[in-house]
Amino acid sequence: MISDKVTKGAERAPHRSLFYAAGFTEEEIHKPLIGVVSAFSEIIPGHMHLDKLAEAAKAGVYAAGGTPVLIPSIGVCDGIVMGHEGMRYSLASRELIADSLETMAAAHCFDGLVLIPNCDKIVPGMVMGALRLNIPSIVISGGPMMAGHVHGKMTSLSQMFEAVGAYKAGIIDEQELCTREECCCPSCGSCSGMFTANSMNCLCEAIGLALPGNGTIPAPYSARIQLAKKAGAQIMELVKRDIKPRDIVTEDSLKNAITVDMALGCSTNSALHLPAIAHEAGLKLELKQFNEISEKTPNLCHLAPAGEHFMEELYDAGGVQAVMKELADAGFLNTSLLTATGKTVAENIAGAVNRNSEVIRPMDRPYSKTGGLAFLFGNIAKKGCVVKRSAVAPEMQKHSCTARVFHGEDEAVTAIYGGKIKPGDIVAILFEGPKGGPGMREMLVPTSALAGMKLDKEVALITDGRFSGASRGASIGHVSPEAAVGGEIGLLRDGDIIDIDMEHYTIHARVSDEEFEARRKAQVMPEPNVKSGWLERYSRMVTGADEGAVLK
């Protein structure tokens, strides 16, 4: 065992004395040491209950013959940091989480890990750290929040952001705004739509790092506590059999994950996190691979914000395993792959049943014949950009628009709220990429403002920053190369015409190469937004969005 390095032999008597000082018994010291990594905090509703899941996971480890060791992880609430400087820390925190997990587990010689994340960047951050360490690991997320109810209609956080736009446009009054804010987020858990947190929790299940149910069992359900106990017990089986994350995360399992991503209609942020996860596994995901899979994979689910269904409904319909069963029966998945259950994909989904053919459409009646995400390429996105095509109105999927250019999100939001954006415009938000932001701010505020003002079917957005998984409409993000490294998006000017064709995966500004070159020569780069602290270091080391915004 790895822990023998700190527990066995006369030379480790000083080490054992410190274990005793921490309250461990002799019997506990000589069992496998399992790090139970909890992102519990009182600032994130998705994490406020993780202490209970950690205790359940510890009980599972104890029952199966291991010694659980609780260690913490940081986490950022994307909803609370949305729309201000705090959002610069969200994506960047993914690297801190991976680094701190590596530090704690490697330094203290853990034999295995139970990972307990829930919200946006915490899930991939923990998975990246586990892949880097490559010791037996299993994910048990906190689960999705229950949907809210406003005037008898199910709702979630994304509608709350849109309500601000409606308020600014005079569509609703302040009393209605307050009514909605008190009702849209009724429980603990990750916000109840196919936003980034739930996307990544579902994809952990699809890729094989989590037990069935991880992505969809609602956070308040007792079944979530039971799943945590099972995960705690199962890590001991993974340790016994020496099944490591890199045995599970392979080229084929990543393809399975992308296929499930397309069927579910996951967040555009999965296009950042899956390549970053692949990178830690020593693999490489090209964005064009997403398009190849999207082109042949039908979109089976229309979950909020793309549709009217919520995570609890997906759970009731059979969850991720039912979606995978639909895909597997049609030959879309490799079902021979090993998973964290110790069984194959085929064995895991054998008993899965689709219990609601509207929430999970069958393969012969999909919501669309192609996947939820599309990656566009063209003269302003030579290395690609991404849009959640399943959340875009049909009339916006192929159209031409007039650029309104803004340096940063704040300028754009002021213009939107000020009524300066008109039908037919495309709001171009520059210098918000991984380096330029830094941290690639997520922009739910501008997309929701347009949706709340009923402009989401008439106005597009494009940025080298990110959009939230809760965004809908023609929101095109992750443009690479970004403006801060000389990307052509940074050379756009007011009035430029941009042609978008999501069907053929293209985006093109009607600007000649010669004109771009002339603009480049005259361009004066803005001063960095951050000049000190660890974000300044991050901005120097981070790669482009097309590479997953990993550090090099």
Side-chain angles (χ1 to χ4, degrees):
M1 295 192 300
I2 300 170
S3 58
D4 288 351
K5 297 177 183 178
V6 292
T7 62
K8 294 289 178 68
E11 298 84 357
R12 296 298 180 254
H15 306 65
R16 291 192 295 274
S17 71
L18 293 171
F19 277 99
Y20 289 131
F24 290 87
T25 66
E26 181 179 2
E27 182 183 33
E28 289 172 327
I29 291 172
H30 294 296
K31 291 179 179 179
L33 297 181
I34 307 298
V36 177
V37 190
S38 171
F40 166 75
S41 74
E42 295 182 342
I43 192 63
I44 307 177
H47 290 187
M48 59 185 282
H49 63 305
L50 297 189
D51 56 337
K52 295 178 176 60
L53 294 184
E55 288 303 314
K58 287 171 64 179
V61 172
Y62 266 126
T67 297
V69 184
L70 182 66
I71 61 173
S73 170
I74 65 166
V76 170
C77 179
D78 277 27
I80 293 175
V81 304
M82 194 74 67
H84 59 88
E85 295 299 308
M87 179 49 82
R88 302 193 194 285
Y89 288 91
S90 175
L91 178 61
S93 73
R94 185 188 71 182
E95 314 308 313
L96 289 184
I97 292 163
D99 289 350
S100 62
L101 176 60
E102 175 194 358
T103 300
M104 291 296 288
H108 298 100
C109 300
F110 291 140
D111 297 301
L113 296 169
V114 179
L115 309 177
I116 311 179
N118 208 27
C119 293
D120 295 37
K121 312 307 168 291
I122 299 90
V123 183
M126 286 194 187
V127 171
M128 289 163 65
L131 279 161
R132 195 181 300 171
L133 291 158
N134 202 32
I135 61 175
S137 303
I138 193 167
V139 177
I140 166 62
S141 75
M145 183 184 291
M146 303 300 290
H149 290 82
V150 177
H151 306 308
K153 185 178 180 180
M154 295 175 77
T155 188
S156 69
L157 182 68
S158 62
Q159 283 89 358
M160 194 61 240
F161 276 93
E162 291 175 14
V164 177
Y167 172 73
K168 294 281 187 180
I171 298 172
I172 63 173
D173 60 19
E174 185 174 0
Q175 182 176 352
E176 175 63 16
L177 186 69
C178 291
T179 297
R180 296 188 186 189
E181 74 180 65
E182 292 171 358
C183 300
C184 77
C185 297
S187 75
C188 60
S190 47
C191 299
S192 183
M194 191 50 76
F195 313 142
T196 306
N198 290 325
S199 294
M200 294 312 300
N201 287 331
C202 288
L203 294 182
C204 281
E205 190 175 333
I207 209 170
L209 288 171
L211 300 180
N214 179 75
T216 58
I217 296 173
Y221 282 21
S222 298
R224 176 64 56 178
I225 295 174
Q226 293 163 359
L227 192 70
K229 291 177 181 178
K230 291 176 182 177
Q234 183 59 23
I235 190 60
M236 297 308 299
E237 180 67 15
L238 298 179
V239 169
K240 178 181 177 182
R241 294 174 57 183
D242 196 30
I243 297 175
K244 302 183 179 74
R246 293 193 188 188
D247 299 323
I248 295 171
V249 180
T250 63
E251 184 176 335
D252 285 337
S253 69
L254 287 166
K255 288 179 180 177
N256 276 0
I258 296 171
T259 302
V260 174
D261 184 329
M262 296 303 167
L264 286 171
C266 290
S267 165
T268 52
N269 284 306
S270 65
L272 283 174
H273 301 320
L274 288 178
I277 287 168
H279 174 74
E280 296 293 353
L283 305 168
K284 186 172 179 62
L285 276 184
E286 300 283 355
L287 294 186
K288 289 185 177 180
Q289 290 178 262
F290 284 78
N291 277 349
E292 291 167 2
I293 294 174
S294 178
E295 188 64 28
K296 64 183 182 182
T297 306
N299 178 223
L300 304 181
C301 302
H302 254 200
L303 296 147
E308 299 298 317
H309 299 138
F310 292 84
M311 293 302 296
E312 62 208 70
E313 295 175 280
L314 178 59
Y315 170 66
D316 290 338
V320 175
Q321 300 297 301
V323 175
M324 294 179 72
K325 186 71 160 55
E326 293 281 355
L327 293 167
D329 286 349
F332 281 74
L333 296 180
N334 184 335
T335 61
S336 66
L337 306 179
L338 181 67
T339 72
T341 64
K343 301 175 182 178
T344 64
V345 172
E347 291 172 302
N348 289 345
I349 65 176
V353 177
N354 183 352
R355 294 190 288 268
N356 188 325
S357 61
E358 280 304 305
V359 176
I360 304 173
R361 288 275 184 93
M363 295 291 286
D364 61 357
R365 193 170 57 87
Y367 283 100
S368 65
K369 293 181 180 179
T370 53
L373 300 184
F375 294 81
L376 315 181
F377 296 83
N379 67 344
I380 54 172
K382 292 180 177 178
K383 293 185 178 180
C385 56
V386 64
V387 62
K388 191 170 186 175
R389 183 169 52 184
S390 61
V392 180
E395 60 267 32
M396 293 293 286
Q397 295 197 15
K398 185 175 182 179
H399 72 291
S400 299
C401 39
T402 303
R404 294 294 311 281
V405 180
F406 302 94
H407 281 210
E409 177 187 11
D410 300 337
E411 280 187 15
V413 171
T414 299
I416 294 169
Y417 284 151
K420 297 179 180 179
I421 304 302
K422 307 300 181 187
D425 286 345
I426 180 169
V427 178
I429 305 175
L430 317 182
F431 295 97
E432 288 285 11
K435 286 183 179 291
M440 210 177 179
R441 286 199 290 180
E442 200 169 77
M443 300 183 196
L444 183 55
V445 173
T447 60
S448 299
L450 290 173
M453 294 175 172
K454 309 300 182 185
L455 289 170
D456 56 301
K457 295 182 180 179
E458 299 175 293
V459 174
L461 296 95
I462 186 169
T463 182
D464 51 7
R466 297 182 295 129
F467 290 114
S468 167
S471 294
R472 60 187 175 96
S475 304
I476 302 165
H478 304 191
V479 173
S480 299
E482 63 174 290
V485 299
E488 282 74 10
I489 188 175
L491 303 175
L492 288 175
R493 299 291 181 266
D494 279 348
D496 286 344
I497 304 300
I498 297 176
D499 300 313
I500 299 168
D501 187 345
M502 297 181 192
E503 180 182 347
H504 294 98
Y505 307 104
T506 62
I507 185 164
H508 187 84
R510 296 182 197 172
V511 179
S512 67
D513 291 344
E514 293 76 16
E515 174 60 20
F516 268 143
E517 191 56 37
R519 293 180 186 182
R520 192 184 304 280
K521 289 178 180 178
Q523 185 181 34
V524 178
M525 287 289 193
E527 286 289 311
N529 290 315
V530 175
K531 298 180 182 180
S532 62
W534 70 267
L535 281 180
E536 187 277 331
R537 183 170 68 249
Y538 175 88
S539 70
R540 285 188 280 108
M541 299 172 67
V542 70
T543 63
D546 59 300
E547 297 183 59
V550 297
L551 297 185
K552 288 188 177 177

